[in-house]
Amino acid sequence: MEKYVILGGAKLEGEVEISGAKNSAVALIVAALLVEDVCIIENVPAVSDTYVLIDIINQLGGKAEFVDKGVLRIDGSSLNCCEAPYEMVSKIRASSYLMGALLGRFKQARVAMPGGCDFGVRPIDLHLKGFAALGAECNVEYGLVDIKAEALRGAGIYMDQVSVGATINIMLASAMAEGQTVIENAAKEPHIVDVANFLNSMGANIKGAGTDVIKIKGVEKLHGGMYTVIPDQIEAGTFMIAAAATQGDVLIKNIIPKHLDSISAKLEEMGVEIEEYDDSIRVRGTSELRKANVKTMPHPGFPTDLQPQMLTLLTAAKGTSIVTENVWDNRFKYVEELRRMGATVSVDGRTAVVEGGGRLSGSPVSSTDLRAGAALVIAGLMADGVTEIYNLKYIDRGYESFEQKLRALGAQITRRKDGEKSYAVTIA
Ligand code: EPZ
């Protein structure tokens, strides 16, 4: 087991290059299984979720490997199995995309119930509702989701709730169905658009991705090709908040500023200076951070995956801030860890009240999930003294070269083995 050791107080200054979007890459990698051909996907982040999916594809008879930095070659032509058991898929939520891809390719799929971060219930009823609308029969038994269809026919599907995963899964399952599928109340995240663009570049006929209504005209077959993953909106937002949290001055490069509108607006409301360029954003922090209220919403609202990072920043803002989590029913578990560092936050269901203005103090803390881990790193950068962060496996799932990028900006952070003593003076 490993831990981060952080000596707080350094201002982050300089430039950071953002990697490909993890939540897009994991969907594109599985979507490539629809294609009985070779797909080359560029700008794929080297994070553990990527390696888990590479392993799954190879176990299913496909071939997946990195052929260059960030360049993944996937050959789905030899795929010969539509069953993904528990030990294979329980590690990551993105394994749920196997249901849509295997159903779309083989008209059947047997996939273990998906795993993922733990913020309460993570149902798949909307995924199964979509598959059933396309003509599939879905049964969940012994922890396996068993789906089969004589044929897949286009249908009108209204999503009771906006769901990124279900929207993507229905696109995968209907790309080669007979006729047209219309998804209403679809998710509009940047990675939804990325998946639609990828499928279209492979011969699919998908219109409206990024809006509430997505139309998918089924095609006979998809062909291989090349595609580049969009920059990671959540990694970029994490670095923007880290720059503000350390009163630093950071140029966040290789991004799509439009994807960060809600974060830029909230940071400006708090007194942080934001300058937008074509493919970068400069963030300059302030010692007079103003309080703010944050409500997470599906895109284009404030992203739930930046809620822990933003709440951590709000502990430094003078006054009382309210954070409302509207996407997940239990995404404040990490607050307990912030309290160890002296944060004054009270949580009631989906609402957290942050009494800001105090200074955090370093402490041993444990990451409870991917984005909570990133928030604790930000807390360590802000705090007086040394912070040790355990359970790095979560952070390694979604942040490529995290400590290297932070150190290049001046952060005093290092990765240590669990048992190693953490001497603040030897952190560098
Ligand atoms: C994706 O999860 C992301 N994961 C999550 O990011 C992100 O928090 C979430 O979208 C929302 O943006 C990946 O892309 C791999 P949802 P997903 O289906 O697809 C309910 C991270 O840190 N729901 O949009 O699982 C669900 O309970 C991760 O990178 C149903 O009720 O999220 C939740 O309340 C964490 N039934 C809401 O919808 C369903 O069938 C949104 O979930 C599906 C979802």
Side-chain angles (χ1 to χ4, degrees):
M1 292 273 275
E2 294 180 308
K3 62 187 175 185
Y4 275 152
V5 179
I6 300 173
L7 173 63
K11 288 181 188 297
L12 297 188
E13 290 174 334
E15 301 186 352
V16 61
E17 191 89 18
I18 297 302
S19 301
K22 185 267 279 187
N23 286 346
S24 179
V26 295
L28 298 176
I29 291 169
V30 179
L33 298 183
L34 283 168
V35 184
E36 293 178 55
D37 199 344
V38 173
C39 295
I40 304 287
I41 305 177
E42 298 177 321
N43 202 28
V44 175
V47 294
S48 59
D49 273 10
T50 303
Y51 292 106
V52 169
L53 286 175
I54 289 172
D55 187 37
I56 288 173
I57 291 174
N58 291 324
Q59 288 187 56
L60 294 176
K63 290 193 192 67
E65 59 179 337
F66 273 112
V67 292
D68 202 347
K69 181 173 177 355
V71 183
L72 198 55
R73 180 182 187 280
I74 300 170
D75 181 351
S77 55
S78 52
L79 200 70
N80 56 24
C81 172
C82 54
E83 178 152 347
Y86 178 78
E87 55 282 347
M88 203 194 269
V89 305
S90 55
K91 293 196 245 339
I92 64 169
R93 178 75 186 173
S95 52
S96 60
Y97 296 137
L98 287 168
M99 296 189 290
L102 296 175
L103 178 64
R105 168 89 178 261
F106 297 117
K107 307 280 185 298
Q108 60 176 318
R110 275 172 69 80
V111 180
M113 287 293 277
C117 287
D118 172 21
F119 356 99
V121 181
R122 292 194 76 172
I124 57 167
D125 57 308
L126 298 175
H127 300 242
L128 302 184
K129 175 185 169 186
F131 298 149
L134 297 172
E137 195 190 318
C138 308
N139 289 299
V140 180
E141 51 190 9
Y142 314 117
L144 274 175
V145 186
D146 186 64
I147 315 167
K148 43 172 140 340
E150 285 306 310
L152 291 170
R153 286 186 191 80
I157 303 166
Y158 183 83
M159 310 299 288
D160 311 343
Q161 168 161 5
V162 173
S163 162
V164 168
T167 301
I168 290 176
N169 248 338
I170 293 167
M171 281 201 287
L172 300 183
S174 61
M176 294 187 281
E178 292 155 32
Q180 173 170 277
T181 296
V182 180
I183 305 172
E184 295 194 69
N185 197 23
K188 298 181 273 194
E189 274 67 359
H191 35 293
I192 300 282
V193 179
D194 220 19
V195 172
N197 290 342
F198 169 74
L199 290 172
N200 284 339
S201 69
M202 303 298 154
N205 182 341
I206 301 174
K207 291 187 173 54
T211 73
D212 299 303
V213 182
I214 301 177
K215 291 182 178 165
I216 303 111
K217 280 209 178 86
V219 295
E220 197 66 30
K221 216 167 161 56
L222 299 175
H223 56 73
M226 287 189 77
Y227 191 77
T228 302
V229 182
I230 54 170
D232 194 316
Q233 165 204 38
I234 304 303
E235 183 195 15
T238 301
F239 275 97
M240 289 171 73
I241 293 169
T246 57
Q247 298 174 35
D249 180 350
V250 177
L251 183 66
I252 320 267
K253 296 169 67 177
N254 181 35
I255 59 162
I256 300 172
K258 182 93 193 89
H259 291 168
L260 292 149
D261 282 352
S262 61
I263 296 96
S264 298
K266 192 51 71 177
L267 288 174
E268 282 182 323
E269 184 188 324
M270 295 169 69
V272 175
E273 270 185 67
I274 300 282
E275 271 172 72
E276 268 188 27
Y277 305 100
D278 288 348
D279 61 356
S280 60
I281 286 183
R282 185 175 178 184
V283 178
R284 275 182 280 191
T286 167
S287 56
E288 297 299 313
L289 212 52
R290 292 192 291 267
K291 69 179 177 66
N293 294 332
V294 178
K295 291 182 181 358
T296 68
M297 296 298 283
H299 192 76
F302 190 91
T304 175
D305 292 346
L306 286 169
Q307 177 260 92
Q309 299 92 315
M310 180 52 84
L311 186 149
T312 301
L313 176 64
L314 287 167
T315 65
K318 286 188 180 43
T320 303
S321 301
I322 313 270
V323 178
T324 310
E325 172 56 57
N326 289 313
V327 175
W328 297 102
D329 59 17
N330 181 13
R331 196 173 194 167
F332 289 117
K333 279 190 179 165
Y334 66 93
V335 167
E336 202 44 54
E337 301 302 301
L338 284 181
R339 288 194 186 111
R340 288 172 193 277
M341 300 177 72
T344 308
V345 185
S346 58
V347 173
D348 178 9
R350 290 189 175 217
T351 303
V353 178
V354 184
E355 297 301 342
R359 186 133 170 104
L360 299 178
S361 55
S363 161
V365 289
S366 187
S367 162
T368 52
D369 67 68
L370 164 55
R371 308 302 174 182
L376 292 173
V377 169
I378 291 172
L381 295 171
M382 294 161 71
D384 283 331
V386 175
T387 299
E388 295 177 318
I389 301 177
Y390 292 85
N391 256 350
L392 292 193
K393 65 177 182 203
Y394 288 115
I395 296 175
D396 292 342
R397 288 187 52 196
Y399 287 92
E400 183 180 50
S401 310
F402 198 33
E403 68 263 28
Q404 290 86 340
K405 291 180 180 180
L406 285 167
R407 256 212 304 278
L409 291 171
Q412 296 276 292
I413 178 172
T414 186
R415 186 183 283 251
R416 287 268 167 73
K417 291 265 169 294
D418 245 356
E420 271 187 86
K421 274 307 286 168
S422 310
Y423 300 102
V425 288
T426 59
I427 260 188

